[in-house]
Amino acid sequence: MADLYRIFGAEMSPYSVKVRSYFRYKAIPHQWILRNAASQLDYEKHAKLPIVPLVVTPDGTGIQDSTPIIDQMEKLFPEPSIHPDGADGFISALIEEFGDEWGNKWMFHYRWTRDVDQICSAGRIARMRAPQTNEAEFGKVADQVRARMVDRVWFVGSNSQTAPLIEAGFRQMLALLDQHLASRPYLFGGRPAYGDFGLWGQFYELWTDPTSGALIEGGAPHVLEWIHRMLWPRAEGPFEPWSALAPTLMPILKTQVGGKFMPWTLANEKALAEGREEFSVNLDGEVWTQKPQKYHARSLAMLRAKYAAASGKATLDTVLENAGCLQALRA
């Protein structure tokens, strides 16, 4: 097919499944290709960075990074739009960024902290990379994957000090999100928005792992339904107005985005500007310490640009001020 897009990704990559869900929603003709040894040569022809997802357009152009991929595709396939009107459009973009950057901390921590999750995840990755290998070689590959990934939890800020904060924050978010989704199929109403795709990618991966998956299945039925729904999302109705969303979405913005993500992102930005190897920030009365993340400083700049271009500033700024997010976006 001349108009076929190709998505090189992995089922265990939140950013890959995020892009795949978007392509499915827009009914964009595409082929899902697992990035492994069998597809590596083709992948390398188009990838500039060793990351997934990689989208190869029908004319052979490679696009990487899930947010720019969706932004570019939305210009080509604008209907049905994933952007609510007015202030809600930027709030959706803020949640997308929150999912990509803060939600990933939950996902990576739960996946690589406990033995049961480490063994399960390392085994799944080993099977995907070498599906035909024998049991002896499979065990070696799985052990290598486990050792490498467990050694990287520091990258998202997971350590003995922050682990209780990560898990308490996830449980709080799970309860708030379940309440919000109790009366609507998607975050902003009857159809998926930009924010759904970013947040869902992390929650889908959390659901596939033993410990976090059990928390979702055992205590958040509406979140579980949303996770299933977003595998093949479709428009079921219009976006809701802010007045309908606010009672259950504002608590998420206040406690999670404004209360945790924004203080962290400003501290991360400051540490990078000062050339520090490590930074600490107070979150909900507890100290969070980690090494700074360079990529997030770039994604924060893109988020600020989206805020600067947003419409409905009178309403938007009131919401952001109440949520504790405005100062960071105006910096």
Side-chain angles (χ1 to χ4, degrees):
M1 296 175 62
D3 61 347
L4 187 71
Y5 288 79
R6 291 184 293 159
I7 305 172
F8 289 81
E11 197 68 31
M12 295 181 71
S13 158
Y15 307 106
S16 295
V17 297
K18 165 189 171 184
V19 168
R20 184 180 65 187
S21 177
Y22 172 84
F23 270 67
R24 287 173 172 176
Y25 177 56
K26 291 301 184 99
I28 301 170
H30 67 277
Q31 179 186 12
W32 172 261
I33 302 172
L34 174 64
R35 185 198 168 187
N36 60 10
S39 63
Q40 185 63 18
L41 288 179
D42 199 11
Y43 168 87
E44 290 177 350
K45 292 178 184 177
H46 305 283
K48 295 181 180 179
L49 297 170
I51 60 173
V52 290
L54 163 70
V55 169
V56 180
T57 67
D59 66 3
T61 301
I63 316 170
Q64 290 182 281
D65 194 335
S66 64
T67 298
I69 287 171
I70 291 178
D71 288 345
Q72 186 164 334
M73 298 305 295
E74 190 69 5
K75 295 175 182 177
L76 299 175
F77 300 90
E79 296 298 333
S81 176
I82 60 170
H83 299 299
D85 293 332
D88 291 4
F90 178 76
I91 296 170
S92 174
L94 177 60
I95 291 176
E96 192 267 354
E97 175 74 358
F98 167 76
D100 276 359
E101 301 300 321
W102 191 261
N104 187 247
K105 297 181 185 302
W106 302 325
M107 190 282 293
F108 208 86
H109 166 82
Y110 273 105
R111 177 165 284 177
W112 299 110
T113 296
R114 294 173 174 82
D115 284 346
V116 63
D117 301 288
Q118 293 173 9
I119 293 168
C120 174
S121 298
R124 290 176 64 198
I125 292 173
R127 288 294 186 198
M128 285 189 288
R129 289 186 175 176
Q132 304 302 322
T133 191
N134 59 47
E135 287 300 308
E137 288 302 314
F138 161 74
K140 293 178 182 178
V141 175
D143 288 344
Q144 291 169 357
V145 170
R146 183 182 183 185
R148 183 172 66 253
M149 299 306 290
V150 169
D151 192 48
R152 295 190 65 197
V153 294
W154 63 265
F155 181 76
V156 298
S158 174
N159 52 55
S160 59
Q161 180 188 46
T162 61
L165 297 177
I166 293 172
E167 297 196 2
F170 173 68
R171 288 173 180 267
Q172 181 188 53
M173 177 63 178
L174 189 60
L176 291 171
L177 185 59
D178 198 62
Q179 183 179 12
H180 181 66
L181 292 170
S183 57
R184 55 186 56 86
Y186 301 101
L187 293 180
F188 288 81
R191 58 185 59 201
Y194 200 56
D196 283 275
F197 294 100
L199 190 61
W200 172 81
Q202 307 298 334
F203 268 87
Y204 171 74
E205 298 298 338
L206 284 155
W207 171 59
T208 66
D209 292 334
T211 301
S212 50
L215 292 173
I216 293 169
E217 292 179 351
H222 305 297
V223 173
L224 182 60
E225 290 173 357
W226 172 68
I227 291 170
H228 293 166
R229 190 176 297 118
M230 281 292 295
L231 280 166
W232 291 93
R234 60 187 179 89
E236 301 178 25
F239 291 124
E240 296 178 30
W242 175 250
S243 58
L245 299 168
T248 49
L249 190 54
M250 182 56 89
I252 293 174
L253 294 178
K254 280 186 175 181
T255 63
Q256 297 291 317
V257 185
K260 296 180 177 64
F261 177 56
M262 283 304 180
W264 173 83
T265 195
L266 288 177
N268 182 75
E269 180 182 50
K270 187 172 185 289
L272 287 170
E274 295 173 353
R276 301 203 322 246
E277 292 295 320
E278 188 177 84
F279 71 93
S280 296
V281 59
N282 189 295
L283 302 178
D284 293 336
E286 302 288 343
V287 177
W288 177 288
T289 301
Q290 75 165 96
K291 296 180 180 181
Q293 293 179 229
K294 292 182 180 180
Y295 173 79
H296 179 62
R298 295 194 294 272
S299 66
L300 176 60
M302 291 191 296
L303 182 67
R304 284 174 173 157
K306 290 176 181 178
Y307 166 73
S311 61
K313 280 284 178 46
T315 300
L316 176 60
D317 284 357
T318 299
V319 173
L320 294 175
E321 179 69 30
N322 291 338
C325 300
L326 188 59
Q327 180 183 353
L329 294 165
R330 284 181 168 176

